[in-house]
Amino acid sequence: MNQHTQDTSAPAESPLRGARADKLFAARLYVCTDARRAQGDLEEFLHAAYAGGASIVQLRDKGIDADEEIAALRLLGRVAAEYDALFAVNDRADVAALVGADVFHVGQHDLTPAQARQLLGPDVLIGRSTHDLDQARTALADPDVDYFCTGPVWETPTKPGRPATGLGFVRAVAELTGARLDAEPEAAPVPWFAIGGIDEHRLPKVLAAGARGAVVVRAVTEAPDPRAAAGQLRSLLPA
C-alpha cells in the first residue's frame, strides 16, 4: 500500500508497518554505505550517520560474503533501533528476511517489487530504483512500491557506466508526483529520493528542482567527520 492515508476497504495496516511508514514519510536523508571492512569502523560510522541526521541507512556491499553481510546488517539493525530509525537491505531478499530488515531496495534488474513482497510479507517497506520517467511512473503506480529513487542525477563511481539523468529528471518527477497529489488530494504521494553524485554543494540544486529527500554515499562515507557531514546535509533538507 503506497498511500499514507488508510484505505478503509483494505486490510488494516499492522502497527509495525504503520510505524515504519511514518518514519519513511518523515525521512529526508538516506545514506548508503559498504560494510567498511577497509576502515574497520562500521559501528562508529553508523552511530555518526544516524546521529548526524540520517533517517535511513542502507548496507550496499556487492563484494561481501553472506555471513559477513548478515553480521553487518544485524549490527546496523541494532544501531538503527537505538535512533528509532530505519535500516535497509539491498538486493538480497533472503538476507533481508533473516535480519528483519525495515526496508528492502531493488533495482530494475533485481526481483520485482511484487516478488519481493511475496517473499518478505506486508510489513517490510520496498523501494525501487528508477532511471527514467516511465520507470518512475511505474513505481508510482505500483502498490508494492513504498518509495523510489531517481537518478543518478550526476555520474558517480558508485554506479559505473550508468549515464547521468540530470536535474531535468528530478524536475519531471517532482511535477509527476505533484500532479498525482493534485488528482488525489486525500492521498500523500509515494516518497522519493534523488540519488547520484549529491553532496552539500549540489544538494541545493536538487532541492530547487523539486526533491525533498536525497540518497548520498561518498558525501558521508568519505567525509573526515561523517557525523558533521550528515548534519550539514540534513540542515539543508526540509523539515
Side-chain angles (χ1 to χ4, degrees):
M1 180 175 176
N2 56 14
Q3 292 184 358
H4 191 46
T5 52
Q6 181 65 44
D7 179 356
T8 56
S9 66
E13 185 174 75
S14 75
L16 177 57
R17 179 177 173 79
R20 287 170 170 169
D22 287 343
K23 293 172 189 176
L24 175 63
F25 272 80
R28 298 292 179 263
L29 181 61
Y30 189 146
V31 174
C32 290
T33 183
D34 63 13
R36 298 185 70 86
R37 289 171 288 167
Q39 300 92 334
D41 66 348
L42 180 60
E43 184 169 4
E44 179 183 351
F45 172 83
L46 295 174
H47 279 284
Y50 283 119
S55 299
I56 308 170
V57 175
Q58 179 190 130
L59 182 72
R60 185 170 68 193
D61 196 323
K62 300 291 187 179
I64 198 170
D65 291 337
D67 58 344
E68 293 178 294
E69 183 175 14
I70 290 166
L73 283 163
R74 285 180 171 153
L75 171 60
L76 173 53
R78 290 195 299 271
V79 176
E82 289 185 40
Y83 291 88
D84 195 26
L86 299 170
F87 81 102
V89 174
N90 186 59
D91 291 346
R92 293 283 302 269
D94 54 345
V95 171
L98 282 170
V99 301
D102 298 314
V103 177
F104 180 61
H105 190 88
V106 294
Q108 288 293 317
H109 302 295
D110 300 323
L111 293 175
T112 67
Q115 289 167 337
R117 178 71 65 209
Q118 184 177 356
L119 290 169
L120 296 172
D123 291 339
V124 175
L125 304 177
I126 294 176
R128 192 87 193 266
S129 297
T130 69
H131 314 298
D132 59 44
L133 198 54
D134 284 342
Q135 292 174 359
R137 287 192 184 100
T138 298
L140 190 61
D142 191 331
D144 291 308
V145 171
D146 295 293
Y147 75 91
F148 62 97
C149 296
T150 62
V153 182
W154 288 275
E155 289 187 12
T156 171
T158 64
K159 293 290 184 181
R162 188 176 294 283
T165 58
L167 289 167
F169 183 32
V170 178
R171 293 188 192 97
V173 172
E175 291 173 5
L176 178 66
T177 55
R180 183 177 185 274
L181 185 58
D182 290 343
E184 300 181 83
E186 76 283 359
V190 177
W192 59 280
F193 301 83
I195 186 173
I198 298 170
D199 57 23
E200 66 175 291
H201 304 294
R202 288 171 165 173
L203 182 55
K205 298 177 182 179
V206 173
L207 298 177
R212 291 181 57 79
V215 180
V216 299
V217 185
R218 293 175 298 147
V220 175
T221 62
E222 296 183 5
D225 185 339
R227 178 172 180 167
Q232 175 61 19
L233 290 162
R234 183 64 188 89
S235 72
L236 297 172
L237 288 157

